PDB file of all heavy atoms in Angstrom:
ATOM      1  N   THR A 111     198.046 158.662 121.276  1.00  0.00           N
ATOM      2  CA  THR A 111     198.925 157.576 121.710  1.00  0.00           C
ATOM      3  C   THR A 111     198.222 156.594 122.641  1.00  0.00           C
ATOM      4  O   THR A 111     198.429 155.376 122.541  1.00  0.00           O
ATOM      5  CB  THR A 111     200.186 158.146 122.383  1.00  0.00           C
ATOM      6  OG1 THR A 111     200.958 158.859 121.404  1.00  0.00           O
ATOM      7  CG2 THR A 111     201.039 157.036 122.985  1.00  0.00           C
ATOM      8  N   ALA A 112     197.381 157.078 123.534  1.00  0.00           N
ATOM      9  CA  ALA A 112     196.690 156.186 124.469  1.00  0.00           C
ATOM     10  C   ALA A 112     195.839 155.171 123.711  1.00  0.00           C
ATOM     11  O   ALA A 112     195.835 153.968 124.033  1.00  0.00           O
ATOM     12  CB  ALA A 112     195.827 156.997 125.431  1.00  0.00           C
ATOM     13  N   TYR A 113     195.122 155.660 122.681  1.00  0.00           N
ATOM     14  CA  TYR A 113     194.305 154.751 121.867  1.00  0.00           C
ATOM     15  C   TYR A 113     195.185 153.786 121.078  1.00  0.00           C
ATOM     16  O   TYR A 113     194.902 152.593 120.976  1.00  0.00           O
ATOM     17  CB  TYR A 113     193.437 155.571 120.917  1.00  0.00           C
ATOM     18  CG  TYR A 113     192.572 154.744 119.992  1.00  0.00           C
ATOM     19  CD1 TYR A 113     191.532 153.966 120.468  1.00  0.00           C
ATOM     20  CD2 TYR A 113     192.809 154.736 118.617  1.00  0.00           C
ATOM     21  CE1 TYR A 113     190.733 153.205 119.612  1.00  0.00           C
ATOM     22  CE2 TYR A 113     192.031 153.982 117.747  1.00  0.00           C
ATOM     23  CZ  TYR A 113     190.999 153.223 118.265  1.00  0.00           C
ATOM     24  OH  TYR A 113     190.224 152.462 117.431  1.00  0.00           O
ATOM     25  N   TYR A 114     196.281 154.313 120.548  1.00  0.00           N
ATOM     26  CA  TYR A 114     197.184 153.474 119.771  1.00  0.00           C
ATOM     27  C   TYR A 114     197.800 152.363 120.621  1.00  0.00           C
ATOM     28  O   TYR A 114     198.024 151.249 120.120  1.00  0.00           O
ATOM     29  CB  TYR A 114     198.296 154.327 119.154  1.00  0.00           C
ATOM     30  CG  TYR A 114     197.848 155.263 118.065  1.00  0.00           C
ATOM     31  CD1 TYR A 114     198.676 156.293 117.625  1.00  0.00           C
ATOM     32  CD2 TYR A 114     196.607 155.128 117.444  1.00  0.00           C
ATOM     33  CE1 TYR A 114     198.295 157.155 116.606  1.00  0.00           C
ATOM     34  CE2 TYR A 114     196.201 155.982 116.440  1.00  0.00           C
ATOM     35  CZ  TYR A 114     197.049 157.006 116.030  1.00  0.00           C
ATOM     36  OH  TYR A 114     196.649 157.855 115.030  1.00  0.00           O
ATOM     37  N   VAL A 115     198.104 152.670 121.871  1.00  0.00           N
ATOM     38  CA  VAL A 115     198.679 151.657 122.768  1.00  0.00           C
ATOM     39  C   VAL A 115     197.711 150.484 122.929  1.00  0.00           C
ATOM     40  O   VAL A 115     198.104 149.312 122.863  1.00  0.00           O
ATOM     41  CB  VAL A 115     199.027 152.268 124.141  1.00  0.00           C
ATOM     42  CG1 VAL A 115     199.320 151.167 125.168  1.00  0.00           C
ATOM     43  CG2 VAL A 115     200.239 153.187 124.028  1.00  0.00           C
ATOM     44  N   VAL A 116     196.433 150.805 123.129  1.00  0.00           N
ATOM     45  CA  VAL A 116     195.420 149.745 123.289  1.00  0.00           C
ATOM     46  C   VAL A 116     195.308 148.917 122.007  1.00  0.00           C
ATOM     47  O   VAL A 116     195.294 147.676 122.048  1.00  0.00           O
ATOM     48  CB  VAL A 116     194.052 150.362 123.642  1.00  0.00           C
ATOM     49  CG1 VAL A 116     192.972 149.290 123.654  1.00  0.00           C
ATOM     50  CG2 VAL A 116     194.127 151.056 124.992  1.00  0.00           C
ATOM     51  N   VAL A 117     195.247 149.611 120.860  1.00  0.00           N
ATOM     52  CA  VAL A 117     195.125 148.908 119.579  1.00  0.00           C
ATOM     53  C   VAL A 117     196.351 148.034 119.326  1.00  0.00           C
ATOM     54  O   VAL A 117     196.236 146.860 118.946  1.00  0.00           O
ATOM     55  CB  VAL A 117     194.938 149.912 118.424  1.00  0.00           C
ATOM     56  CG1 VAL A 117     195.032 149.213 117.072  1.00  0.00           C
ATOM     57  CG2 VAL A 117     193.602 150.619 118.559  1.00  0.00           C
ATOM     58  N   ALA A 118     197.541 148.599 119.514  1.00  0.00           N
ATOM     59  CA  ALA A 118     198.782 147.862 119.257  1.00  0.00           C
ATOM     60  C   ALA A 118     198.913 146.659 120.178  1.00  0.00           C
ATOM     61  O   ALA A 118     199.307 145.566 119.744  1.00  0.00           O
ATOM     62  CB  ALA A 118     199.982 148.792 119.428  1.00  0.00           C
ATOM     63  N   LEU A 119     198.561 146.844 121.446  1.00  0.00           N
ATOM     64  CA  LEU A 119     198.683 145.742 122.408  1.00  0.00           C
ATOM     65  C   LEU A 119     197.704 144.621 122.071  1.00  0.00           C
ATOM     66  O   LEU A 119     198.072 143.444 122.047  1.00  0.00           O
ATOM     67  CB  LEU A 119     198.435 146.256 123.824  1.00  0.00           C
ATOM     68  CG  LEU A 119     198.574 145.210 124.946  1.00  0.00           C
ATOM     69  CD1 LEU A 119     199.979 144.633 124.960  1.00  0.00           C
ATOM     70  CD2 LEU A 119     198.224 145.830 126.299  1.00  0.00           C
ATOM     71  N   CYS A 120     196.458 144.985 121.798  1.00  0.00           N
ATOM     72  CA  CYS A 120     195.453 143.961 121.470  1.00  0.00           C
ATOM     73  C   CYS A 120     195.819 143.214 120.183  1.00  0.00           C
ATOM     74  O   CYS A 120     195.747 141.980 120.128  1.00  0.00           O
ATOM     75  CB  CYS A 120     194.073 144.604 121.324  1.00  0.00           C
ATOM     76  SG  CYS A 120     193.367 145.191 122.873  1.00  0.00           S
ATOM     77  N   ALA A 121     196.211 143.970 119.157  1.00  0.00           N
ATOM     78  CA  ALA A 121     196.566 143.332 117.892  1.00  0.00           C
ATOM     79  C   ALA A 121     197.780 142.439 118.059  1.00  0.00           C
ATOM     80  O   ALA A 121     197.855 141.339 117.477  1.00  0.00           O
ATOM     81  CB  ALA A 121     196.830 144.393 116.830  1.00  0.00           C
ATOM     82  N   SER A 122     198.745 142.881 118.855  1.00  0.00           N
ATOM     83  CA  SER A 122     199.958 142.096 119.074  1.00  0.00           C
ATOM     84  C   SER A 122     199.663 140.823 119.849  1.00  0.00           C
ATOM     85  O   SER A 122     200.113 139.736 119.474  1.00  0.00           O
ATOM     86  CB  SER A 122     200.990 142.946 119.818  1.00  0.00           C
ATOM     87  OG  SER A 122     202.147 142.191 120.093  1.00  0.00           O
ATOM     88  N   VAL A 123     198.897 140.951 120.919  1.00  0.00           N
ATOM     89  CA  VAL A 123     198.565 139.782 121.741  1.00  0.00           C
ATOM     90  C   VAL A 123     197.796 138.749 120.918  1.00  0.00           C
ATOM     91  O   VAL A 123     198.101 137.550 120.958  1.00  0.00           O
ATOM     92  CB  VAL A 123     197.748 140.206 122.974  1.00  0.00           C
ATOM     93  CG1 VAL A 123     197.144 138.981 123.673  1.00  0.00           C
ATOM     94  CG2 VAL A 123     198.628 140.969 123.953  1.00  0.00           C
ATOM     95  N   MET A 124     196.782 139.212 120.172  1.00  0.00           N
ATOM     96  CA  MET A 124     195.969 138.270 119.395  1.00  0.00           C
ATOM     97  C   MET A 124     196.789 137.601 118.295  1.00  0.00           C
ATOM     98  O   MET A 124     196.654 136.401 118.042  1.00  0.00           O
ATOM     99  CB  MET A 124     194.758 138.986 118.795  1.00  0.00           C
ATOM    100  CG  MET A 124     193.737 139.412 119.825  1.00  0.00           C
ATOM    101  SD  MET A 124     192.256 140.108 119.057  1.00  0.00           S
ATOM    102  CE  MET A 124     191.463 140.852 120.481  1.00  0.00           C
ATOM    103  N   PHE A 125     197.659 138.367 117.643  1.00  0.00           N
ATOM    104  CA  PHE A 125     198.454 137.796 116.559  1.00  0.00           C
ATOM    105  C   PHE A 125     199.445 136.757 117.081  1.00  0.00           C
ATOM    106  O   PHE A 125     199.546 135.644 116.538  1.00  0.00           O
ATOM    107  CB  PHE A 125     199.197 138.911 115.827  1.00  0.00           C
ATOM    108  CG  PHE A 125     200.111 138.419 114.740  1.00  0.00           C
ATOM    109  CD1 PHE A 125     199.616 137.676 113.681  1.00  0.00           C
ATOM    110  CD2 PHE A 125     201.471 138.697 114.783  1.00  0.00           C
ATOM    111  CE1 PHE A 125     200.451 137.217 112.674  1.00  0.00           C
ATOM    112  CE2 PHE A 125     202.314 138.239 113.776  1.00  0.00           C
ATOM    113  CZ  PHE A 125     201.804 137.503 112.722  1.00  0.00           C
ATOM    114  N   VAL A 126     200.166 137.096 118.132  1.00  0.00           N
ATOM    115  CA  VAL A 126     201.161 136.169 118.683  1.00  0.00           C
ATOM    116  C   VAL A 126     200.479 134.952 119.309  1.00  0.00           C
ATOM    117  O   VAL A 126     200.957 133.818 119.171  1.00  0.00           O
ATOM    118  CB  VAL A 126     202.066 136.880 119.698  1.00  0.00           C
ATOM    119  CG1 VAL A 126     203.038 135.894 120.348  1.00  0.00           C
ATOM    120  CG2 VAL A 126     202.837 138.011 119.019  1.00  0.00           C
ATOM    121  N   ALA A 127     199.361 135.172 119.991  1.00  0.00           N
ATOM    122  CA  ALA A 127     198.615 134.038 120.553  1.00  0.00           C
ATOM    123  C   ALA A 127     198.133 133.108 119.450  1.00  0.00           C
ATOM    124  O   ALA A 127     198.186 131.877 119.586  1.00  0.00           O
ATOM    125  CB  ALA A 127     197.436 134.550 121.376  1.00  0.00           C
ATOM    126  N   ASP A 128     197.662 133.693 118.345  1.00  0.00           N
ATOM    127  CA  ASP A 128     197.212 132.886 117.215  1.00  0.00           C
ATOM    128  C   ASP A 128     198.359 132.072 116.632  1.00  0.00           C
ATOM    129  O   ASP A 128     198.228 130.871 116.362  1.00  0.00           O
ATOM    130  CB  ASP A 128     196.617 133.807 116.152  1.00  0.00           C
ATOM    131  CG  ASP A 128     196.037 133.059 114.980  1.00  0.00           C
ATOM    132  OD1 ASP A 128     195.262 132.116 115.199  1.00  0.00           O
ATOM    133  OD2 ASP A 128     196.359 133.406 113.826  1.00  0.00           O
ATOM    134  N   LEU A 129     199.509 132.717 116.440  1.00  0.00           N
ATOM    135  CA  LEU A 129     200.684 132.016 115.926  1.00  0.00           C
ATOM    136  C   LEU A 129     201.095 130.870 116.849  1.00  0.00           C
ATOM    137  O   LEU A 129     201.493 129.794 116.385  1.00  0.00           O
ATOM    138  CB  LEU A 129     201.858 132.985 115.786  1.00  0.00           C
ATOM    139  CG  LEU A 129     201.870 133.961 114.604  1.00  0.00           C
ATOM    140  CD1 LEU A 129     203.075 134.876 114.707  1.00  0.00           C
ATOM    141  CD2 LEU A 129     201.891 133.217 113.289  1.00  0.00           C
ATOM    142  N   SER A 130     200.988 131.099 118.142  1.00  0.00           N
ATOM    143  CA  SER A 130     201.456 130.113 119.119  1.00  0.00           C
ATOM    144  C   SER A 130     200.496 128.950 119.272  1.00  0.00           C
ATOM    145  O   SER A 130     200.924 127.805 119.477  1.00  0.00           O
ATOM    146  CB  SER A 130     201.659 130.798 120.479  1.00  0.00           C
ATOM    147  OG  SER A 130     202.569 131.885 120.367  1.00  0.00           O
ATOM    148  N   LEU A 131     199.220 129.218 119.195  1.00  0.00           N
ATOM    149  CA  LEU A 131     198.223 128.175 119.466  1.00  0.00           C
ATOM    150  C   LEU A 131     197.833 127.379 118.232  1.00  0.00           C
ATOM    151  O   LEU A 131     197.406 126.230 118.351  1.00  0.00           O
ATOM    152  CB  LEU A 131     196.970 128.818 120.078  1.00  0.00           C
ATOM    153  CG  LEU A 131     197.154 129.391 121.488  1.00  0.00           C
ATOM    154  CD1 LEU A 131     195.912 130.172 121.910  1.00  0.00           C
ATOM    155  CD2 LEU A 131     197.451 128.293 122.490  1.00  0.00           C
ATOM    156  N   TYR A 132     197.962 127.972 117.052  1.00  0.00           N
ATOM    157  CA  TYR A 132     197.503 127.269 115.858  1.00  0.00           C
ATOM    158  C   TYR A 132     198.180 125.909 115.653  1.00  0.00           C
ATOM    159  O   TYR A 132     197.502 124.934 115.292  1.00  0.00           O
ATOM    160  CB  TYR A 132     197.695 128.136 114.609  1.00  0.00           C
ATOM    161  CG  TYR A 132     197.097 127.498 113.377  1.00  0.00           C
ATOM    162  CD1 TYR A 132     195.739 127.621 113.095  1.00  0.00           C
ATOM    163  CD2 TYR A 132     197.869 126.711 112.517  1.00  0.00           C
ATOM    164  CE1 TYR A 132     195.177 127.002 111.981  1.00  0.00           C
ATOM    165  CE2 TYR A 132     197.318 126.085 111.406  1.00  0.00           C
ATOM    166  CZ  TYR A 132     195.970 126.245 111.156  1.00  0.00           C
ATOM    167  OH  TYR A 132     195.414 125.622 110.072  1.00  0.00           O
ATOM    168  N   PRO A 133     199.491 125.781 115.865  1.00  0.00           N
ATOM    169  CA  PRO A 133     200.103 124.453 115.687  1.00  0.00           C
ATOM    170  C   PRO A 133     199.506 123.379 116.590  1.00  0.00           C
ATOM    171  O   PRO A 133     199.531 122.194 116.247  1.00  0.00           O
ATOM    172  CB  PRO A 133     201.584 124.703 116.032  1.00  0.00           C
ATOM    173  CG  PRO A 133     201.791 126.152 115.757  1.00  0.00           C
ATOM    174  CD  PRO A 133     200.503 126.802 116.163  1.00  0.00           C
ATOM    175  N   PHE A 134     198.948 123.795 117.742  1.00  0.00           N
ATOM    176  CA  PHE A 134     198.343 122.835 118.664  1.00  0.00           C
ATOM    177  C   PHE A 134     196.869 122.596 118.325  1.00  0.00           C
ATOM    178  O   PHE A 134     196.396 121.463 118.317  1.00  0.00           O
ATOM    179  CB  PHE A 134     198.459 123.343 120.108  1.00  0.00           C
ATOM    180  CG  PHE A 134     199.873 123.537 120.577  1.00  0.00           C
ATOM    181  CD1 PHE A 134     200.450 124.796 120.581  1.00  0.00           C
ATOM    182  CD2 PHE A 134     200.641 122.458 121.010  1.00  0.00           C
ATOM    183  CE1 PHE A 134     201.750 124.987 121.016  1.00  0.00           C
ATOM    184  CE2 PHE A 134     201.947 122.636 121.443  1.00  0.00           C
ATOM    185  CZ  PHE A 134     202.497 123.914 121.446  1.00  0.00           C
ATOM    186  N   TRP A 135     196.138 123.692 118.080  1.00  0.00           N
ATOM    187  CA  TRP A 135     194.683 123.616 117.932  1.00  0.00           C
ATOM    188  C   TRP A 135     194.231 123.352 116.503  1.00  0.00           C
ATOM    189  O   TRP A 135     193.173 122.797 116.272  1.00  0.00           O
ATOM    190  CB  TRP A 135     194.044 124.913 118.417  1.00  0.00           C
ATOM    191  CG  TRP A 135     194.098 125.104 119.899  1.00  0.00           C
ATOM    192  CD1 TRP A 135     194.608 124.234 120.827  1.00  0.00           C
ATOM    193  CD2 TRP A 135     193.630 126.241 120.633  1.00  0.00           C
ATOM    194  NE1 TRP A 135     194.482 124.761 122.078  1.00  0.00           N
ATOM    195  CE2 TRP A 135     193.881 125.994 122.009  1.00  0.00           C
ATOM    196  CE3 TRP A 135     193.012 127.434 120.277  1.00  0.00           C
ATOM    197  CZ2 TRP A 135     193.539 126.900 123.003  1.00  0.00           C
ATOM    198  CZ3 TRP A 135     192.673 128.341 121.275  1.00  0.00           C
ATOM    199  CH2 TRP A 135     192.934 128.062 122.612  1.00  0.00           C
TER     200      TRP A 135
END
Side-chain angles (χ1 to χ4, degrees):
T111 294
Y113 178 67
Y114 291 166
V115 167
V116 174
V117 171
L119 182 60
C120 290
S122 177
V123 168
M124 291 186 193
F125 177 59
V126 176
D128 184 49
L129 284 177
S130 303
L131 292 172
Y132 186 83
F134 299 99
W135 289 358

